[in-house]
Amino acid sequence: MSAGRIRTAVPVLCYHSVSDDAHDGELRWSVSPSDFDEQMALLRERGRTPLTVSGYTTMLRAALPLPPRPVLVTFDDGYADLATAALPVLRRYAIPATAYVVTARVGAARTRGSGPVVSWDQLAELHANGMEIGSHSHTHRALDCLRRSELRREVSLSKLALEDGLQEQVSSFAYPYGYHSPAVRREVRAAGYSSACGVKNALSHEADDLYAVARVLIERDLGAAGLDTLLDGRGWPPAWRRERLRTRVWRAYRQARHFADTARTAPQADARRVP
Ligand SMILES: [Zn+2]
């Protein structure tokens, strides 16, 4: 799409963990609690209006005017520090957020490569405090490499599990690793989700794709100064609508590798991949 039609650049921030604990190389995607506090304070200082993903995409769908200087705070993977470290800060600054949860991992203890995951009780607490809870699939696999039946299970089972656990409709989805394809987007829409987030490291806007909302991955070394630059939109492109050639080439490569792996190790391959 042309940049000329964009009236409002909307930063959609994608956090993971809020912690100082290193989990086997995951520290890059983990923001320290003090930095997170500074960054949320900055959103308020800059007069930003925080929205949930469903709040934002409902406005886009209805072509309603956006509030002044919108911003979205989202979390992927549902680490337990969402409840223990992020929630108190979000409450202090009255910032609504959206958390995307991998349903098969809810309540999992610390495992190699990741920290502990939120429990159902913590999810209920987050929800009771105004956080939108969305699905990040059932087992966090690259959805664009799965067979249709597996894809359907990942997308639908997680929605059912969350709705059963929270007694609330779950409307938003986030693609694991940001990987999606036309087939994945169709499945997410057919399952009844009204929006889905990708990762583009670009700024969202009024004409963004409701099933591939552009987000920016927040890395540990961003700091308040980096966030300030991001909020100004300096150095960050507006989200583009069509897939880039390199995205399609990379997907074709991953799919070929996935099918080669599956053929080599069948029939145990699927069972091993599910945590
Ligand atoms: Zn993830």
Side-chain angles (χ1 to χ4, degrees), residues 30 58 78 156 167 188 225 241-242:
S30 172
T58 299
S156 299
Q167 294 296 301
V188 166
R241 282 299 287 255
R242 292 185 55 197

Side-chain angles (χ1 to χ4, degrees), residues 16 76-77 102 105 136 140 175-177:
H16 285 78
D76 277 9
D77 299 352
V102 182
R105 293 182 184 167
H136 195 34
H140 205 279
Y175 306 107
Y177 313 105

Side-chain angles (χ1 to χ4, degrees), residues 14-160:
C14 177
Y15 288 92
H16 285 78
S17 180
V18 177
S19 167
D20 283 323
D21 292 344
H23 301 299
D24 296 347
E26 299 261 311
L27 199 59
R28 179 180 174 192
W29 310 115
S30 172
V31 173
S32 81
S34 57
D35 279 4
F36 184 68
D37 193 306
E38 254 189 287
Q39 291 174 8
M40 294 304 103
L42 186 70
L43 298 186
R44 284 301 183 197
E45 278 167 32
R46 293 285 178 268
R48 287 279 163 173
T49 309
L51 302 169
T52 62
V53 173
S54 284
Y56 172 56
T57 52
T58 299
M59 290 176 197
L60 294 196
R61 181 172 278 110
L64 294 170
L66 293 173
R69 294 181 295 285
V71 69
L72 279 67
V73 177
T74 72
F75 298 86
D76 277 9
D77 299 352
Y79 290 111
D81 53 53
L82 193 56
T84 55
L87 181 62
V89 177
L90 293 168
R91 286 185 61 175
R92 186 173 322 132
Y93 298 108
I95 293 177
T98 304
Y100 292 104
V101 177
V102 182
T103 40
R105 293 182 184 167
V106 172
R110 182 183 301 256
T111 54
R112 192 172 164 274
S114 79
V117 177
V118 280
S119 64
W120 284 107
D121 283 349
Q122 286 174 317
L123 273 182
E125 184 195 359
L126 293 167
H127 183 240
N129 278 278
M131 193 177 287
E132 175 177 22
I133 309 294
S135 164
H136 195 34
S137 82
H138 190 55
T139 66
H140 205 279
R141 299 161 77 189
L143 300 182
D144 58 348
C145 288
L146 298 183
R147 289 195 301 267
R148 180 109 188 261
S149 57
E150 296 173 301
L151 168 60
R152 179 160 293 173
R153 184 171 177 275
E154 287 289 329
V155 169
S156 299
L157 194 59
S158 58
K159 189 173 195 292
L160 287 174

Side-chain angles (χ1 to χ4, degrees), residues 175-234:
Y175 306 107
Y177 313 105
Y179 292 155
H180 55 87
S181 64
V184 173
R185 293 193 294 274
R186 270 197 305 275
E187 198 62 48
V188 166
R189 188 192 293 253
Y193 295 97
S194 55
S195 68
C197 284
V199 175
K200 256 180 193 160
N201 284 329
L203 299 171
S204 184
H205 48 75
E206 291 95 336
D208 202 0
D209 185 337
L210 296 174
Y211 286 91
V213 173
R215 293 189 296 172
V216 175
L217 274 173
I218 303 299
E219 298 191 33
R220 188 171 190 81
D221 60 6
L222 179 73
L227 181 61
D228 211 12
T229 305
L230 170 57
L231 294 176
D232 281 353
R234 279 177 275 142

